[in-house]
Amino acid sequence: MPSISQWLRHRLEQGDGLQDLAPGRSPAHYDQRQEALAVLDDLSADDLSGLCHGDASTGNLLLTANDRMLMIDPRGMRGEAAYDVAVIALKATWWLPAVDTVAILADTVGVGQERVQAWVTVADAARA
């Protein structure tokens, strides 16, 4: 199974050559990418890999009647749930600030807020 960390590292190192950016987005500045690579190194050192959705978004998130979150349409990557939470938090900033979203989602999913925030740094710079 492909690794989300390797995929993100490739995006951060590729930098200005990214071709699949969302409309209106430009590649992260070199300094932001370098900072994100350092954070990614720290996250990778702890290797909490499991099954990662890899294509998290609010469109792939369903809430059940008992407020349980389900994710559909996975890319299927080796990674950790904290990465998926970070990506959803980034993509949900149109209705709630990322800091609030990180806290709410991390608590709901049962992952550490600090780890999710670190993944936010990486995902944002990689334009994931």
Side-chain angles (χ1 to χ4, degrees), residues 19-44:
Q19 300 295 315
D20 61 348
L21 296 173
R25 294 226 53 195
S26 59
H29 187 271
Y30 176 81
D31 292 340
Q32 183 184 6
R33 294 192 316 264
Q34 292 306 301
E35 177 187 346
L37 281 166
V39 172
L40 183 59
D41 287 341
D42 289 343
L43 289 166
S44 298

Side-chain angles (χ1 to χ4, degrees), residues 26 29 32 50 59 64 75 82 84 93 114 124:
S26 59
H29 187 271
Q32 183 184 6
T64 66
R75 181 180 293 154
D84 289 327
T93 56
E114 288 180 14
D124 186 40

Side-chain angles (χ1 to χ4, degrees), residues 1-5 7-8 43 48-61 69-92 101-102 105-106 109 111-112 115-120 122-123 128:
M1 192 174 301
S3 164
I4 198 70
S5 293
W7 181 76
L8 289 165
L43 289 166
L48 301 176
S49 291
L51 184 59
C52 179
H53 187 281
D55 188 28
S57 73
T58 55
N60 288 340
L61 185 65
M69 283 192 277
L70 303 173
M71 296 186 71
I72 60 171
D73 193 25
R75 181 180 293 154
M77 305 283 286
R78 186 170 34 89
E80 61 180 283
Y83 169 76
D84 289 327
V85 172
V87 171
I88 291 171
L90 280 170
K91 292 181 178 180
T101 308
V102 165
L105 291 173
V109 175
V111 295
R115 193 150 182 99
V116 172
Q117 192 57 54
W119 280 113
V120 165
V122 174

